Amino acid sequence: MTNSASTTYYHLSPASSAETTTNAATWTSDNGEVYTLNNTGAKPAQIVGSPKLLFDGVAHYLQATFTLNQPMSYYVVAKRPTFSTNGYFIDGNTGANVSIRNQPTTPDFDIYAGSATGINSNWAENSYNVIMAIINGASSSSKVGATAAVSGNAGANNAGGLTVGAAGNGTSPTNIQIKEIIVRTISDSTATQIQIYSYLKAIHGAP
């Protein structure tokens, strides 16, 4: 796996975070970013006895602002219990700046950072998998598990943070269960993607 002094690794998982079972206004990730719950007071539900966060597709999202610029590699272990048309499950800190988002037709999704890549149709509804997205301008791609990557130009936007469960401005929420998110400030090679996918698959039993 490629790591260097210039590569930052962000990790968000409910497995070790008691905050998800309280009414606290914030939720702290494993490496210290503080995620603010949306201003309606709703909060993602931690599934009791299991390290998963459930976003209801109506009002739930978590958000943190921190420096997060291209290139970026995202790994999300998740399933969509129902398909939220045009819903965002990953975004930056403002609306639709760096996004992984559903499309109008199930099971389609794409990635966007100022420009949309090709549509990926490989993630079955209500099925856990590892979703991988490389955000690196014209060399961007999305991939589901061991399926073929869908490549394209995602644009040049930077994320400026991370929103989970909706767009960065709080619109377009998504019904999604998430076990783990890894974000790396590097355009991971195919070999590194396979290593991280294999690790997540072994830990979570995703396909």
Side-chain angles (χ1 to χ4, degrees):
M1 182 184 299
T2 301
N3 284 296
S4 70
S6 61
T7 301
T8 303
Y9 167 97
Y10 298 99
H11 183 230
L12 182 62
S13 169
S16 58
S17 300
E19 291 93 334
T20 54
T21 62
T22 73
N23 293 316
T26 59
W27 191 87
T28 305
S29 76
D30 291 357
N31 44 328
E33 298 83 40
V34 177
Y35 287 74
T36 302
L37 300 175
N38 75 59
N39 58 16
T40 68
K43 63 186 180 68
Q46 185 175 32
I47 299 173
V48 176
S50 180
K52 307 180 184 74
L53 289 179
L54 173 63
F55 297 82
D56 64 1
V58 178
H60 293 165
Y61 65 94
L62 294 169
Q63 185 175 74
T65 298
F66 51 93
T67 300
L68 184 57
N69 298 327
Q70 291 199 42
M72 299 167 287
S73 299
Y74 293 78
Y75 302 84
V76 184
V77 183
K79 75 173 180 178
R80 299 171 292 188
T82 60
F83 185 80
S84 302
T85 300
N86 296 321
Y88 287 64
F89 49 97
I90 297 291
D91 202 4
N93 70 328
T94 60
N97 58 338
V98 174
S99 313
I100 310 175
R101 59 191 188 175
N102 291 337
Q103 291 299 295
T105 304
T106 183
D108 298 347
F109 73 96
D110 71 357
I111 56 177
Y112 175 91
S115 180
T117 62
I119 289 174
N120 192 315
S121 302
N122 294 320
W123 185 15
E125 187 175 320
N126 204 29
S127 173
Y128 269 109
N129 221 313
V130 180
I131 311 306
M132 294 165 275
I134 307 299
I135 311 292
N136 187 27
S139 300
S140 299
S141 64
S142 66
K143 189 176 182 182
V144 179
T147 64
V150 175
S151 301
N153 187 349
N157 289 353
N158 292 316
L162 181 64
T163 302
V164 183
N169 61 6
T171 63
S172 304
T174 297
N175 180 212
I176 193 167
Q177 285 184 12
I178 292 179
K179 291 184 176 183
E180 188 165 355
I181 300 172
I182 294 171
V183 183
R184 288 162 47 84
T185 56
I186 188 173
S187 178
D188 280 333
S189 66
T190 299
T192 299
Q193 291 177 55
I194 291 171
Q195 284 184 297
I196 296 175
Y197 162 64
S198 298
Y199 159 77
L200 292 171
K201 177 181 178 180
I203 292 296
H204 297 292

